[in-house]
């Protein structure tokens, strides 16, 4: 349904350290900077793009918004969470946990305050 998700950042180097670490933990690749100065991550057909806002105003996190990232396994979710907290992210909500439906999830805020979740499909 979606072609990409674009979020703003006030510090692309901090964002790059966080997202490079978390995407590598999921088995993905480090991001690349395009000609327009945007960080681009491509993973399993999805694209996450991070940029300074084009209107010149500070980037802010979406209140009530969450970006969900698919993970191959609970181990990948845990590695994502560890990599994120080690690279400027903040653990939020609950510790990584298996939900009653069998999905394994973890939540972080990136260095700019964007809310993210990594989740693996139910194993049951």
């Amino acid at each position: 349904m979606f072609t990409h998700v674009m979020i703003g950042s006030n510090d692309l180097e901090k964002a790059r350290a966080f997202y490079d670490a978390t995407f590598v933990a999921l088995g993905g690749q480090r991001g690349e900077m395009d000609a327009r100065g945007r960080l681009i991550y491509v993973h399993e057909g999805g694209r996450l793009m991070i940029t300074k806002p084009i209107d010149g105003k500070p980037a802010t996190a979406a209140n009530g918004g969450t970006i969900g990232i698919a993970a191959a396994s609970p181990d990948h979710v845990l590695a994502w969470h560890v990599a994120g907290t080690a690279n400027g992210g903040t653990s939020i909500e609950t510790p990584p946990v298996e939900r009653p439906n069998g999905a394994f999830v973890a939540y972080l805020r990136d260095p700019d305050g964007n809310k993210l979740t990594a989740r693996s499909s139910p194993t049951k």
Side-chain angles (χ1 to χ4, degrees), residues 56-115:
K57 295 179 183 173
T60 58
N63 186 20
T66 303
I67 298 168
I69 301 168
S73 70
D75 287 341
H76 280 102
V77 173
L78 291 171
W80 175 86
H81 192 263
V82 168
T85 57
N87 286 277
T90 304
S91 182
I92 59 170
E93 304 214 1
T94 64
V97 65
E98 184 175 340
R99 293 281 170 88
N101 69 356
F104 195 83
V105 301
Y107 289 88
L108 292 171
R109 287 212 184 263
D110 74 4
D112 287 289
N114 295 295
K115 183 178 173 185

Side-chain angles (χ1 to χ4, degrees), residues 6 12 14 18 22-23 30 32 41 64 69 77 106 112 117:
M6 174 87 71
L12 289 175
K14 278 186 181 177
F18 175 86
T22 58
F23 273 93
R30 296 182 188 283
E32 293 189 17
Y41 294 85
I69 301 168
V77 173
D112 287 289
T117 181

Side-chain angles (χ1 to χ4, degrees), residues 2-36:
F2 303 107
T3 60
H4 67 280
V5 173
M6 174 87 71
I7 58 175
S9 175
N10 293 307
D11 187 331
L12 289 175
E13 288 309 310
K14 278 186 181 177
R16 178 176 235 161
F18 175 86
Y19 284 101
D20 278 1
T22 58
F23 273 93
V24 167
L26 292 174
Q29 301 295 316
R30 296 182 188 283
E32 293 189 17
M33 191 76 71
D34 74 3
R36 296 175 71 184

